[in-house]
Amino acid sequence: MRFLKPVLFCILFITFSCKKETVEIPGIIPQPNFINYEDGTFLITENTSIVGDDSKEAQWMANELKFFLDEYFNLDLKITTYSQSDAIQLIVSEEGAKSEDYHLKVSKGGVIINANSYQGVFYGIQSLKQLLTPKTIVKTPILSFVNIKDGPEFGWRGMMLDVSRHFLEKDSVKKVIDILAMHKMNKLHWHLVDGIGWRIQIDKYPKLTEKGAWRKVKEHKKPWEDFETTYENAEGGVYGGYYSKDDIKEIVAYAAERYIDVIPEIEMPGHSEAALQCYPEFICEDTENTGVYCAGNDGSFEFLQNIINEVVELFPYQYIHIGGDEVGKEAWLNCKKCQKRMRDENLQSGEELQSYFVKRMEKFIHSKNRKLIGWDEILEGGLPERAAVMSWRGFEGGIEAANAGHDVVMSPASPLYFDYNQGTGEFEPPSWGGYNNLLKVYQFNPIPEDISEDKRHHILGGQANLWTEQIKSLSHIEYMMLPRLSALSEALWTNPSQKNEQDFIKKIDVHFDRLKALGYNFSWSALSPDYEVTYDKNEKKHVLEIHNELGIYDIRYTLDGSTPSTASEIYSKPIHFSDPIDVYAQTFRNGQAIGFPLKKLFSTNFTEKTKVIYSNPYNESYSGGGDQALFDNRYANPRGDHPNWQGLPQKDFEVIIDLGETTTLSYIGLNFFQHLASTSVMLPTEVTIAISKDGKDYQTVYNETLETIKDRNPIIKRIETYFEKQNLSFIKITAKNRGQLPEWHIRKGDAWVFVDEVSIK
């Protein structure tokens, strides 16, 4: 349907006026594909009725709407099955529309939500709720006359929730479903099984939950390090949990009420350490448990088929996800049974054996009237003809599968891994992987140009993936979901021709108030200040620019390190400085500080004359940007892959910084990094800082032996020294590398030292 851009603009940015009322219109996420406002308003009062037929679905939705209006506006509306004016009518009758389409019309007689399915009516109600919220804008339940004809661009709009790494209680899963539902998302991919936790009751194999659902908690180790199953009541630290069949039925029914299909994932043939610790007879002979089922053992297939038999009874949706990713082949290549299987089936490689495994399971799943879907690694060695592919390693696997005639769900790690950071600051909570900011998610399009025009219908849609290695609570899950799920909902629901990034920014600002009213722990990262420092050679001054991702709201700052307030300077133009500044910047929204602050000391005493002399060169792969990277005013964040870290293995970090001229200083600081869980980078054992006027005689101003920290989480250790103000020309910094990783470290080999940003003033 044709949609007028000027109409879209008025949705959010002007108030709608008529003779009696002025109505501020909050906008809808995801953006409807056709919307037209007209003169006039309708006020919902105690005399307004909610009209729906006597079906279970209609009455459930009517009661949900009644509860909403009571909670937000203290209105106790009557529910009736008789059509009338001054009503909110929920009607299933419209012919020719798709099952998820809806028509919402507000006029003098009230509100009509019309669709050819209850699912469409449900989505219409979600739009109506947004037109009536948040309270910061909508004070009374008055609606502008509007005509919305809407339906989704893609049929698969989902999110994967990993409950294997960290278990999520049943009621918390329901809250995740609520978030999906309010955004018109319709798929929950439920990652129930992985190497370090089995979360679904299987009657035929009770040890899967008696033992496989529980793991020993080991001091200073992440769950996947030296993983060991145990029993719920075992001595020592125990972590785990699982869903009974009744739990699963309850959650699936809860999702179905909200028109969300649940896709279970039962990992195979890899990522299965927990299951194989419970049933080791399915490990390859004479090998360790690598988490891979023996492909030469028919018992492995019988075991998995028996599990699938019970899974399909719990999950009515057509797809069963089998994982299929990151399968190590070494055990197969050293297993007599697997080698015999390869000879018998004329298979030439481990990839072809994996293909055999997946194809055999696909035939069984097909016999249960279900479809197999797996991660894009199932392409390797040959894809079963009926299988669908979920492409996570970029778009390439999805392109290959779609061009070969297979259905595809696009879920590339960039930008759809929601366990990645959404902000660049050091205060972000623990995360995994890279950086996927809000607008990067908004710009996602599941259909790349490389897919043939006649194959594009095979792209079912897209989904975000929320892995929980670093995420232990519902509050943290909400933080990683929101507001990125809001952006994804519009990317998948709204036709690209109707999307407008600037309009979305204004709508999401309003949406923050909805999320806050609902009690969700959402992220303000898109409004947190970020920075860039450059050097103006002509002016011979440094230039600081501060911004946030969305480009809205005041950023207030101080240059002396003090906490900014509503009385502090508002950032409005680049800050030029020739002396060091201790910046503390904070975004303020409606008079309140929000998001994480920017707290950085920016130096100016390093000049073009400054040189760095390294006793031991840094590794070229971890140069941090070269010799000048140590004082470029670009701070590395707490991630081992951040490009600003400068690193070297085994040897000490030892540098002499020749300032090139005599400089008056009283402070020196720098950062070191450690992340035991994911890297070989450890804090140095000792740090020494010395200063000199002539480069010959050095005075030590700092020396400290650093305590070994066994915390597996990322650490930035700030080393600072204050001393009597004096003139100097040379700084010598030595950081002792421990050389080799300690025995208790999960890795073996050289220890690394990572350093960044020497600050002086």
Side-chain angles (χ1 to χ4, degrees):
M1 298 178 183
R2 188 169 181 270
F3 185 74
L4 300 177
K5 290 290 183 182
V7 174
L8 173 62
F9 189 79
C10 83
I11 293 173
L12 196 71
F13 318 127
I14 64 171
T15 56
F16 192 96
S17 299
C18 67
K19 292 180 180 179
K20 296 183 179 180
E21 302 287 350
T22 299
V23 181
E24 195 166 354
I25 302 168
I28 298 171
I29 297 175
Q31 175 64 35
N33 282 297
F34 174 84
I35 184 168
N36 183 45
Y37 285 91
E38 301 167 355
D39 291 342
T41 60
F42 171 71
L43 176 65
I44 302 173
T45 70
E46 288 282 358
N47 296 321
T48 305
S49 298
I50 301 174
V51 179
D53 62 43
D54 58 3
S55 67
K56 177 182 176 182
E57 293 90 344
Q59 290 300 302
W60 180 84
M61 282 186 274
N63 277 288
E64 285 287 301
L65 187 54
K66 174 184 171 71
F67 176 81
F68 165 80
L69 291 167
D70 187 15
E71 182 180 28
Y72 275 80
F73 301 107
N74 197 28
L75 291 172
D76 185 16
L77 269 57
K78 180 179 67 174
I79 296 175
T80 179
T81 58
Y82 298 101
S83 179
Q84 55 193 271
S85 60
D86 192 8
I88 303 170
Q89 300 191 62
L90 313 178
I91 302 172
V92 177
S93 68
E94 194 166 290
E95 297 181 2
K98 297 178 181 178
S99 62
E100 294 188 298
D101 294 357
Y102 69 93
H103 182 191
L104 188 158
K105 186 171 180 62
V106 179
S107 62
K108 184 178 180 180
V111 180
I112 296 177
I113 299 174
N114 199 337
N116 80 343
S117 75
Y118 292 110
Q119 185 172 9
V121 172
F122 180 81
Y123 292 148
I125 291 174
Q126 305 317 305
S127 292
L128 178 62
K129 285 181 177 180
Q130 290 198 31
L131 291 174
L132 290 167
T133 55
K135 288 183 178 179
T136 51
I137 288 179
V138 183
K139 309 297 185 184
T140 57
I142 187 167
L143 295 161
S144 296
F145 290 176
V146 66
N147 185 18
I148 300 173
K149 293 182 179 180
D150 198 15
E153 181 74 3
F154 293 99
W156 190 298
R157 308 179 304 282
M159 191 188 82
M160 185 281 295
L161 176 64
D162 170 18
V163 294
S164 173
R165 276 52 179 262
H166 285 100
F167 180 68
L168 194 63
E169 296 291 343
K170 176 178 64 177
D171 288 344
S172 295
V173 176
K174 290 181 179 179
K175 290 181 179 179
V176 171
I177 290 169
D178 289 339
I179 296 171
L180 295 175
M182 73 175 286
H183 290 94
K184 303 186 180 82
M185 305 294 277
N186 67 348
K187 300 288 185 287
L188 173 64
H189 170 182
W190 203 5
H191 190 79
L192 290 161
V193 174
D194 210 292
I196 61 172
W198 187 282
R199 306 295 179 208
I200 176 174
Q201 176 187 350
I202 301 295
D203 293 336
K204 192 171 183 65
Y205 302 109
K207 283 190 287 186
L208 289 172
T209 47
E210 290 173 358
K211 185 180 179 185
W214 309 94
R215 62 178 178 247
K216 291 185 178 181
V217 176
K218 301 186 177 182
E219 188 177 10
H220 303 306
K221 290 190 175 181
K222 291 292 186 181
W224 54 89
E225 296 173 350
D226 193 23
F227 166 74
E228 189 176 353
T229 56
T230 188
Y231 294 92
E232 180 179 6
N233 298 318
E235 293 183 1
V238 175
Y239 178 88
Y242 69 92
Y243 306 99
S244 69
K245 289 189 171 181
D246 286 341
D247 290 336
I248 289 173
K249 290 175 183 176
E250 183 178 333
I251 290 170
V252 170
Y254 188 89
E257 284 181 330
R258 290 151 183 81
Y259 299 95
I260 293 172
D261 301 311
V262 182
I263 299 95
E265 182 174 353
I266 308 297
E267 281 273 16
M268 63 183 82
H271 280 287
S272 299
E273 287 86 347
L276 290 170
Q277 284 191 24
C278 298
Y279 294 93
E281 59 266 36
F282 306 122
I283 300 173
C284 288
E285 289 184 354
D286 302 321
T287 66
E288 296 181 352
N289 180 0
T290 61
V292 180
Y293 291 102
C294 179
N297 184 351
D298 285 334
S300 298
F301 295 96
E302 181 182 355
F303 175 72
L304 290 167
Q305 288 168 3
N306 288 334
I307 290 170
I308 295 298
N309 273 333
E310 296 190 36
V311 169
V312 297
E313 295 299 318
L314 298 170
F315 296 92
Y317 188 57
Q318 60 181 321
Y319 280 103
I320 302 291
H321 203 297
I322 59 97
D325 59 312
E326 300 175 328
V327 179
K329 314 295 192 305
E330 186 176 350
W332 287 349
L333 299 178
N334 291 289
C335 170
K336 293 179 181 179
K337 289 184 178 179
C338 290
Q339 290 301 298
K340 183 178 185 302
R341 178 80 72 194
M342 292 176 71
R343 290 192 299 272
D344 292 346
E345 300 294 336
N346 193 29
L347 306 174
Q348 306 303 312
S349 65
E351 286 71 25
E352 289 189 11
L353 182 56
Q354 178 172 340
S355 176
Y356 165 85
F357 197 114
V358 173
K359 287 176 178 177
R360 184 163 169 177
M361 288 305 302
E362 190 279 332
K363 288 179 181 177
F364 179 78
I365 290 171
H366 180 71
S367 75
K368 310 304 291 184
N369 295 315
R370 296 292 194 276
K371 295 180 180 179
L372 179 147
I373 187 169
W375 302 111
D376 54 68
E377 285 95 330
I378 67 173
L379 284 158
E380 298 168 4
L383 189 63
E385 61 177 334
R386 294 177 292 253
V389 170
M390 193 168 278
S391 188
W392 74 275
R393 296 179 300 175
F395 289 90
E396 292 75 17
I399 293 169
E400 179 184 344
N403 283 337
H406 293 268
D407 288 342
V408 171
V409 176
M410 288 293 190
S411 58
S414 175
L416 297 188
Y417 265 31
F418 280 9
D419 53 322
Y420 286 13
N421 273 332
Q422 52 198 315
T424 59
E426 66 268 32
F427 303 112
E428 290 286 335
S431 64
W432 190 278
Y435 170 59
N436 287 330
N437 58 297
L438 179 65
L439 295 182
K440 187 176 177 182
V441 175
Y442 183 78
Q443 292 157 4
F444 170 68
N445 186 339
I447 302 182
E449 294 181 358
D450 295 336
I451 296 178
S452 304
E453 191 71 35
D454 63 336
K455 302 294 185 183
R456 295 190 174 192
H457 65 280
H458 285 296
I459 304 300
L460 304 180
Q463 76 172 35
N465 295 322
L466 184 50
W467 303 101
T468 58
E469 286 94 341
Q470 304 289 338
I471 301 170
K472 303 177 182 179
S473 66
L474 174 63
S475 176
H476 196 172
I477 285 171
E478 291 174 354
Y479 182 91
M480 303 308 274
M481 288 177 69
L482 296 168
R484 288 186 290 192
L485 190 85
S486 309
L488 181 60
S489 74
E490 191 152 311
L492 296 174
W493 179 279
T494 306
N495 186 286
S497 66
Q498 310 304 331
K499 289 175 61 182
N500 183 299
E501 187 173 285
Q502 289 305 308
D503 293 350
F504 173 76
I505 288 172
K506 294 180 175 66
K507 289 190 301 178
I508 199 67
D509 182 41
V510 175
H511 203 56
F512 287 143
D513 288 335
R514 292 192 188 102
L515 300 176
K516 186 176 181 179
L518 290 167
Y520 293 131
N521 179 39
F522 60 93
S523 169
W524 290 109
S525 298
L527 292 177
S528 297
D530 204 349
Y531 73 97
E532 183 176 359
V533 176
T534 56
Y535 183 70
D536 187 326
K537 292 183 179 180
N538 295 324
E539 192 180 34
K540 293 186 178 181
K541 287 187 177 182
H542 290 79
V543 182
L544 169 65
E545 295 182 77
I546 305 175
H547 61 274
N548 63 40
E549 182 188 353
L550 300 187
I552 57 175
Y553 286 109
D554 292 339
I555 298 175
R556 296 182 180 271
Y557 68 93
T558 65
L559 300 180
D560 60 2
S562 61
T563 304
S565 68
T566 53
S568 299
E569 187 82 14
I570 296 175
Y571 176 82
S572 60
K573 60 183 180 180
I575 300 167
H576 296 247
F577 60 102
S578 54
D579 294 316
I581 54 175
D582 199 352
V583 174
Y584 193 146
Q586 181 81 59
T587 302
F588 283 79
R589 179 179 185 263
N590 302 328
Q592 299 293 319
I594 57 167
F596 296 119
L598 169 66
K599 299 172 69 175
K600 293 285 185 285
L601 171 62
F602 295 116
S603 301
T604 59
N605 300 101
F606 298 114
T607 69
E608 294 176 335
K609 299 177 183 179
T610 303
K611 297 178 182 179
V612 184
I613 303 164
Y614 291 83
S615 296
N616 300 309
Y618 49 79
N619 184 283
E620 287 297 329
S621 296
Y622 297 94
S623 70
D627 290 0
Q628 306 298 305
L630 292 178
F631 41 82
D632 60 3
N633 281 320
R634 298 173 183 170
Y635 286 80
N637 70 19
R639 296 187 46 78
D641 59 358
H642 194 278
N644 287 354
W645 287 117
Q646 193 171 94
L648 71 162
Q650 193 179 39
K651 296 181 179 180
D652 297 340
F653 171 78
E654 185 174 283
V655 298
I656 294 175
I657 301 175
D658 180 354
L659 296 174
E661 58 189 16
T662 301
T663 305
T664 304
L665 297 178
S666 61
Y667 168 88
I668 301 170
L670 73 163
N671 290 340
F672 292 96
F673 179 65
Q674 174 175 290
H675 192 188
L676 300 181
S678 299
T679 73
S680 298
V681 181
M682 296 190 68
L683 295 176
T685 58
E686 183 181 4
V687 177
T688 302
I689 301 175
I691 57 177
S692 173
K693 294 180 179 178
D694 58 9
K696 296 177 181 179
D697 297 323
Y698 280 89
Q699 173 192 351
T700 298
V701 292
Y702 180 91
N703 177 258
E704 183 179 352
T705 299
L706 302 187
E707 179 184 357
T708 297
I709 301 174
K710 293 186 178 182
D711 187 342
R712 317 301 280 178
N713 293 312
I715 297 170
I716 290 181
K717 175 71 173 177
R718 182 70 176 169
I719 300 295
E720 295 181 304
T721 179
Y722 294 86
F723 48 90
E724 185 177 350
K725 185 184 295 186
Q726 54 190 286
N727 296 328
L728 57 100
S729 299
F730 297 89
I731 301 170
K732 184 177 182 179
I733 302 172
T734 303
K736 293 287 186 181
N737 189 330
R738 65 180 61 241
Q740 297 294 305
L741 295 171
E743 290 185 4
W744 48 262
H745 200 290
I746 190 173
R747 291 173 172 78
K748 304 299 178 186
D750 294 341
W752 286 67
V753 169
F754 271 26
V755 61
D756 179 52
E757 210 48 46
V758 178
S759 303
I760 58 176
K761 63 177 180 179

